[in-house]
Amino acid sequence: MALQLTGIHHLTAITADAPANLRFYTQTLGLRLVKKTVNQDDTSAYHLFYADAHATPGTDVTFFDWPVGRERRGTHSIARTGLRVGGGASLAWWRNHLKSRCAFTGQITEIGGYFSLDFEDFEGQRLRLIDDGGKGEAHPWDRSPIPAEHQIRGLGPITLSVPELRPTEAVLTTVMNMRQVRDYPSPDGKGHVHVFAMGEGGPSAELHVAVQPGLPVASQGAGAVHHVAFRTPDVETMHEWTDRLASFRLPSSGEVERYYFRSLYFREPNGILFEIATDGPGFTADEPLATLGEKLSLPPFLEPRRASIEAGLKPLA
């Protein structure tokens, strides 16, 4: 059987206000802060991970905290992040909840085969709640301000914007072994969206590619997505992906040990940064599940620098 990715692993975005980001994603969206650490390549910046109660792979929305201006929207980018909820009643609940928190919110409508609700966070991060029909596992967090039945269950489809489909499609299908399953008009009226599935498919394992040649080239900043990561089960399959990228002469980072998972980075032809990440060992590698995210965690190679790293970080409270 061909080597397969099993779904979305995590998505990493950019914030210029870590304290406000923490409030929005834990208090307004009700996610759990499962890891408070730093960007391993820039230890002056927080790297905050929000997920479900068990910090399950496929539920992580993460942020780098960088002092930057707002993004310039456009193509050559990751344009919207899907988040799964368990039914139409949840979408209606979320629309009322988000409006009460003054979040920019659209209407509940069918998009790409799913009933959906688009909204934005305080920096313009574009998000979409997806009704996944209650399929698959759910791990509600008992300390979330969101009722258990309405909590976000994990990542849903991630939408890219590209000016031309063919180069991206070639990487997705020929290199990454995804399959094109359907298409639909872009809800903003700007282009057409092509759906690519991986593994068993479904909303947690889809990449939606909007072809939008009329848009300007995006510029990253606060409110933008930095990269999307795809799941592979273990280090053995990671080695296979490393060899596969090399066989296509696709430039990559090589395998990078992130301590909580192993990563492999590369760019698709429009410059969008992709990552393949292992499911394990996970965020309990250095903290008990019960107290995840309550203190600053550092991988072993950064631990000797803890005092200087902590002194350079802004308080989150």
Side-chain angles (χ1 to χ4, degrees), residues 6 9 55 57-58 230-234 260-262 277-283:
T6 58
H9 186 281
F230 305 98
R231 294 176 67 177
T232 197
D234 48 40
Y260 308 112
F261 43 83
R262 186 170 294 193
T278 58
D279 281 352
F283 293 123

Side-chain angles (χ1 to χ4, degrees), residues 28-291:
T28 299
L29 296 193
L31 295 170
R32 183 183 183 187
L33 179 66
V34 296
K35 190 62 60 179
K36 179 169 61 175
T37 186
V38 293
N39 182 325
Q40 294 180 14
D41 304 312
D42 174 13
T43 59
S44 68
Y46 280 111
H47 193 180
L48 304 177
F49 290 78
Y50 307 102
D52 68 3
H54 293 180
T56 311
T59 70
D60 306 348
V61 182
T62 94
F63 286 87
F64 295 143
D65 168 38
W66 285 330
V68 293
R70 292 288 180 92
E71 75 159 328
R72 183 181 67 198
R73 293 181 178 178
T75 190
H76 296 270
S77 68
I78 299 172
R80 193 170 291 273
T81 301
L83 302 169
R84 294 179 290 109
V85 296
S90 287
L91 288 178
W93 185 93
W94 273 103
R95 187 166 190 272
N96 291 332
H97 171 70
L98 290 168
K99 288 178 68 177
S100 75
R101 298 298 183 97
C102 299
F104 179 79
T105 308
Q107 301 291 330
I108 297 170
T109 187
E110 190 272 331
I111 300 174
Y114 304 108
F115 284 104
S116 305
L117 174 65
D118 285 356
F119 69 103
E120 297 180 6
D121 77 2
F122 65 100
E123 291 176 301
Q125 186 71 232
R126 287 169 286 176
L127 303 163
R128 175 174 293 156
L129 291 169
I130 302 286
D131 173 12
D132 71 359
K135 297 176 183 176
E137 292 182 324
H139 303 289
W141 184 35
D142 59 7
R143 291 163 57 190
S144 173
I146 307 301
E149 67 271 23
H150 299 314
Q151 285 184 32
I152 292 167
R153 296 159 53 85
L155 286 162
I158 306 302
T159 302
L160 312 185
S161 175
V162 302
E164 181 184 359
L165 179 63
R166 186 174 297 176
T168 299
E169 178 184 31
V171 169
L172 296 182
T173 59
T174 305
V175 180
M176 301 175 72
N177 288 331
M178 296 188 194
R179 59 196 183 276
Q180 189 168 354
V181 293
R182 64 185 184 280
D183 58 80
Y184 61 94
S186 178
D188 61 6
K190 299 176 181 178
H192 215 72
V193 184
H194 302 262
V195 179
F196 295 84
M198 60 202 100
E200 296 181 358
S204 65
E206 287 182 356
L207 194 65
H208 292 204
V209 182
V211 180
Q212 300 175 311
L215 296 184
V217 176
S219 177
Q220 287 192 339
V225 174
H226 187 267
H227 66 269
V228 60
F230 305 98
R231 294 176 67 177
T232 197
D234 48 40
V235 171
E236 288 72 28
T237 53
M238 176 65 83
H239 294 336
E240 294 184 57
W241 281 111
T242 303
D243 292 342
R244 184 168 180 81
L245 294 186
S247 74
F248 283 93
R249 298 184 180 180
L250 189 62
S252 78
S253 64
E255 294 181 28
V256 181
E257 183 54 69
R258 295 302 191 193
Y259 187 55
Y260 308 112
F261 43 83
R262 186 170 294 193
S263 297
L264 176 66
Y265 300 90
F266 61 100
R267 292 187 185 273
E268 58 80 52
N270 288 283
I272 298 169
L273 184 59
F274 285 173
E275 176 184 354
I276 297 174
T278 58
D279 281 352
F283 293 123
T284 56
D286 59 355
E287 292 183 288
L289 180 63
T291 57

